[in-house]
Amino acid sequence: ESKIVKRNTPNYLAKQLLKYEIVSFDIFDTLILKPFSDPSHLFLILAEKHNTPNFMAVRIEAEKEARKLAEISKGNQEVTIYEIYDIVEYKTGINRDYGVKVEMETELEFCFPNPYMKEIYQMVLAQNKKIIGISDTYLTKKQVSEILDKNGFFGFEDIYVSSENNCSKKDKNLYKLIL
């Protein structure tokens, strides 16, 4: 027997958030959604764009390798998309900057706003609350901002990404940095 769980209305949740001076939103899978059951499925589309059938496997492996190198050199596994594409370029010959450009164009093409959260976001923003964004991602702050802007999320006080801060939500150090 399945139980139906009723979600709070956007208005109710926004009112709860207005109690706080600063409101933080996670970005991916909260404000921004993708039409994939697994985020790596984006790489299948990139495989076609690069005419490289094994691109998905190469891209996944390149990220793993970049994270291992980061662990050795920085003591954590936070990497940028550029570090990943340094390895993709070495393995495939796809120019790093071109590869990053195509991946970002594809992200922009497929990312879309979560309508429920967008309504909440707009209500909180309309009340002049300070809003920050936070994400564990290999994308840069500038790239994340571009995705947010394209999807109608304007007015962030700041955006914190693990790739540029060398710490993550997972290890709780990104939260400490924000505090």
Short mmCIF file of all heavy atoms in Angstrom, two decimals, residues 2-28:
data_model
loop_
_atom_site.label_atom_id
_atom_site.label_comp_id
_atom_site.label_asym_id
_atom_site.label_seq_id
_atom_site.Cartn_x
_atom_site.Cartn_y
_atom_site.Cartn_z
N SER A 2 0.73 2.09 -0.98
CA SER A 2 1.54 3.31 -1.04
C SER A 2 0.81 4.45 -0.34
O SER A 2 -0.41 4.53 -0.36
CB SER A 2 1.83 3.68 -2.49
OG SER A 2 0.64 4.03 -3.16
N LYS A 3 1.60 5.28 0.27
CA LYS A 3 1.06 6.41 0.99
C LYS A 3 1.38 7.69 0.23
O LYS A 3 2.52 7.91 -0.16
CB LYS A 3 1.68 6.46 2.39
CG LYS A 3 1.12 7.54 3.27
CD LYS A 3 1.75 7.49 4.65
CE LYS A 3 1.18 8.60 5.51
NZ LYS A 3 1.81 8.62 6.81
N ILE A 4 0.39 8.52 0.04
CA ILE A 4 0.61 9.78 -0.65
C ILE A 4 1.07 10.81 0.37
O ILE A 4 0.42 11.03 1.39
CB ILE A 4 -0.67 10.25 -1.37
CG1 ILE A 4 -1.06 9.25 -2.45
CG2 ILE A 4 -0.48 11.64 -1.95
CD1 ILE A 4 -2.39 9.53 -3.10
N VAL A 5 2.21 11.43 0.08
CA VAL A 5 2.76 12.46 0.94
C VAL A 5 2.45 13.80 0.31
O VAL A 5 2.79 14.04 -0.85
CB VAL A 5 4.29 12.28 1.12
CG1 VAL A 5 4.86 13.40 1.98
CG2 VAL A 5 4.60 10.93 1.72
N LYS A 6 1.80 14.65 1.06
CA LYS A 6 1.44 15.97 0.55
C LYS A 6 2.59 16.94 0.82
O LYS A 6 3.06 17.06 1.95
CB LYS A 6 0.15 16.47 1.20
CG LYS A 6 -0.37 17.72 0.57
CD LYS A 6 -1.72 18.12 1.14
CE LYS A 6 -2.16 19.40 0.46
NZ LYS A 6 -3.28 20.02 1.12
N ARG A 7 3.01 17.64 -0.22
CA ARG A 7 4.08 18.62 -0.12
C ARG A 7 3.50 19.94 0.38
O ARG A 7 2.40 20.32 0.01
CB ARG A 7 4.68 18.80 -1.51
CG ARG A 7 5.82 19.78 -1.56
CD ARG A 7 6.21 20.14 -2.96
NE ARG A 7 6.92 19.07 -3.62
CZ ARG A 7 7.59 19.24 -4.75
NH1 ARG A 7 7.62 20.40 -5.36
NH2 ARG A 7 8.22 18.23 -5.31
N ASN A 8 4.28 20.64 1.20
CA ASN A 8 3.86 21.97 1.63
C ASN A 8 3.74 22.90 0.43
O ASN A 8 4.48 22.75 -0.54
CB ASN A 8 4.89 22.57 2.61
CG ASN A 8 4.85 21.89 3.96
OD1 ASN A 8 3.79 21.54 4.45
ND2 ASN A 8 6.02 21.69 4.55
N THR A 9 2.87 23.86 0.50
CA THR A 9 2.72 24.82 -0.60
C THR A 9 3.98 25.69 -0.65
O THR A 9 4.65 25.90 0.38
CB THR A 9 1.49 25.73 -0.40
OG1 THR A 9 1.73 26.55 0.76
CG2 THR A 9 0.21 24.93 -0.25
N PRO A 10 4.30 26.23 -1.82
CA PRO A 10 5.44 27.14 -1.92
C PRO A 10 5.30 28.32 -0.94
O PRO A 10 6.27 28.74 -0.32
CB PRO A 10 5.41 27.60 -3.37
CG PRO A 10 4.74 26.49 -4.10
CD PRO A 10 3.71 25.96 -3.14
N ASN A 11 4.09 28.82 -0.80
CA ASN A 11 3.83 29.95 0.08
C ASN A 11 4.18 29.60 1.54
O ASN A 11 4.82 30.38 2.24
CB ASN A 11 2.36 30.38 -0.04
CG ASN A 11 2.11 31.74 0.55
OD1 ASN A 11 2.93 32.64 0.43
ND2 ASN A 11 0.97 31.89 1.20
N TYR A 12 3.79 28.41 1.98
CA TYR A 12 4.08 27.96 3.34
C TYR A 12 5.59 27.87 3.57
O TYR A 12 6.12 28.36 4.57
CB TYR A 12 3.42 26.60 3.62
CG TYR A 12 3.80 26.03 4.96
CD1 TYR A 12 3.13 26.42 6.11
CD2 TYR A 12 4.85 25.11 5.06
CE1 TYR A 12 3.50 25.91 7.36
CE2 TYR A 12 5.22 24.61 6.30
CZ TYR A 12 4.54 25.01 7.44
OH TYR A 12 4.92 24.51 8.66
N LEU A 13 6.29 27.23 2.64
CA LEU A 13 7.74 27.05 2.80
C LEU A 13 8.46 28.40 2.74
O LEU A 13 9.36 28.67 3.54
CB LEU A 13 8.29 26.10 1.75
CG LEU A 13 9.75 25.68 1.91
CD1 LEU A 13 10.06 25.17 3.31
CD2 LEU A 13 10.10 24.63 0.88
N ALA A 14 8.05 29.27 1.83
CA ALA A 14 8.67 30.60 1.74
C ALA A 14 8.49 31.36 3.05
O ALA A 14 9.44 31.99 3.54
CB ALA A 14 8.07 31.39 0.58
N LYS A 15 7.31 31.29 3.65
CA LYS A 15 7.08 31.96 4.93
C LYS A 15 8.02 31.43 6.01
O LYS A 15 8.50 32.19 6.85
CB LYS A 15 5.63 31.79 5.38
CG LYS A 15 4.68 32.74 4.68
CD LYS A 15 3.26 32.57 5.21
CE LYS A 15 2.32 33.51 4.48
NZ LYS A 15 0.93 33.33 4.93
N GLN A 16 8.28 30.12 6.00
CA GLN A 16 9.20 29.53 6.97
C GLN A 16 10.62 30.09 6.77
O GLN A 16 11.33 30.37 7.73
CB GLN A 16 9.22 28.00 6.86
CG GLN A 16 7.89 27.32 7.11
CD GLN A 16 7.27 27.73 8.43
OE1 GLN A 16 7.89 27.59 9.48
NE2 GLN A 16 6.06 28.24 8.39
N LEU A 17 11.01 30.26 5.52
CA LEU A 17 12.36 30.75 5.21
C LEU A 17 12.54 32.22 5.56
O LEU A 17 13.65 32.66 5.83
CB LEU A 17 12.68 30.50 3.74
CG LEU A 17 12.77 29.03 3.32
CD1 LEU A 17 12.93 28.91 1.81
CD2 LEU A 17 13.90 28.33 4.04
N LEU A 18 11.45 32.98 5.55
CA LEU A 18 11.53 34.41 5.83
C LEU A 18 11.93 34.72 7.27
O LEU A 18 12.28 35.85 7.59
CB LEU A 18 10.21 35.10 5.48
CG LEU A 18 9.87 35.13 3.99
CD1 LEU A 18 8.51 35.77 3.76
CD2 LEU A 18 10.96 35.83 3.18
N LYS A 19 11.94 33.72 8.12
CA LYS A 19 12.37 33.89 9.51
C LYS A 19 13.87 34.17 9.60
O LYS A 19 14.36 34.63 10.63
CB LYS A 19 12.05 32.64 10.33
CG LYS A 19 10.60 32.28 10.44
CD LYS A 19 10.44 30.94 11.14
CE LYS A 19 9.00 30.46 11.12
NZ LYS A 19 8.88 29.11 11.69
N TYR A 20 14.60 33.84 8.54
CA TYR A 20 16.05 33.89 8.57
C TYR A 20 16.59 35.09 7.82
O TYR A 20 16.02 35.54 6.83
CB TYR A 20 16.63 32.59 8.00
CG TYR A 20 16.11 31.38 8.75
CD1 TYR A 20 15.03 30.65 8.27
CD2 TYR A 20 16.67 31.03 9.98
CE1 TYR A 20 14.53 29.56 8.98
CE2 TYR A 20 16.18 29.94 10.69
CZ TYR A 20 15.12 29.22 10.19
OH TYR A 20 14.62 28.16 10.90
N GLU A 21 17.74 35.59 8.28
CA GLU A 21 18.40 36.73 7.66
C GLU A 21 18.97 36.37 6.29
O GLU A 21 18.91 37.14 5.35
CB GLU A 21 19.51 37.22 8.59
CG GLU A 21 20.20 38.48 8.14
CD GLU A 21 21.31 38.89 9.10
OE1 GLU A 21 21.21 38.62 10.30
OE2 GLU A 21 22.29 39.48 8.60
N ILE A 22 19.57 35.18 6.23
CA ILE A 22 20.17 34.69 4.98
C ILE A 22 19.53 33.34 4.66
O ILE A 22 19.41 32.48 5.54
CB ILE A 22 21.70 34.53 5.11
CG1 ILE A 22 22.35 35.88 5.44
CG2 ILE A 22 22.28 33.94 3.83
CD1 ILE A 22 23.82 35.79 5.78
N VAL A 23 19.14 33.17 3.40
CA VAL A 23 18.54 31.92 2.95
C VAL A 23 19.49 31.28 1.94
O VAL A 23 19.91 31.91 0.98
CB VAL A 23 17.15 32.15 2.33
CG1 VAL A 23 16.55 30.83 1.86
CG2 VAL A 23 16.22 32.84 3.34
N SER A 24 19.81 30.01 2.19
CA SER A 24 20.72 29.26 1.33
C SER A 24 19.93 28.22 0.54
O SER A 24 19.11 27.51 1.10
CB SER A 24 21.77 28.57 2.20
OG SER A 24 22.54 27.69 1.43
N PHE A 25 20.22 28.16 -0.75
CA PHE A 25 19.60 27.14 -1.61
C PHE A 25 20.69 26.27 -2.23
O PHE A 25 21.67 26.79 -2.76
CB PHE A 25 18.81 27.79 -2.75
CG PHE A 25 17.53 28.44 -2.34
CD1 PHE A 25 17.48 29.80 -2.10
CD2 PHE A 25 16.36 27.70 -2.22
CE1 PHE A 25 16.29 30.42 -1.73
CE2 PHE A 25 15.16 28.30 -1.85
CZ PHE A 25 15.13 29.68 -1.61
N ASP A 26 20.49 24.97 -2.17
CA ASP A 26 21.31 24.07 -2.97
C ASP A 26 20.92 24.32 -4.42
O ASP A 26 19.78 24.68 -4.72
CB ASP A 26 21.03 22.61 -2.58
CG ASP A 26 21.89 21.65 -3.37
OD1 ASP A 26 23.12 21.84 -3.40
OD2 ASP A 26 21.34 20.72 -3.98
N ILE A 27 21.84 24.14 -5.33
CA ILE A 27 21.57 24.51 -6.71
C ILE A 27 21.06 23.33 -7.53
O ILE A 27 19.91 23.33 -7.97
CB ILE A 27 22.81 25.19 -7.33
CG1 ILE A 27 23.05 26.50 -6.55
CG2 ILE A 27 22.58 25.45 -8.82
CD1 ILE A 27 24.37 27.15 -6.79
N PHE A 28 21.90 22.33 -7.74
CA PHE A 28 21.51 21.22 -8.61
C PHE A 28 20.63 20.23 -7.86
O PHE A 28 20.89 19.89 -6.72
CB PHE A 28 22.73 20.55 -9.24
CG PHE A 28 23.47 21.50 -10.16
CD1 PHE A 28 24.63 22.11 -9.76
CD2 PHE A 28 22.95 21.81 -11.41
CE1 PHE A 28 25.29 23.01 -10.59
CE2 PHE A 28 23.59 22.70 -12.25
CZ PHE A 28 24.77 23.31 -11.84
#
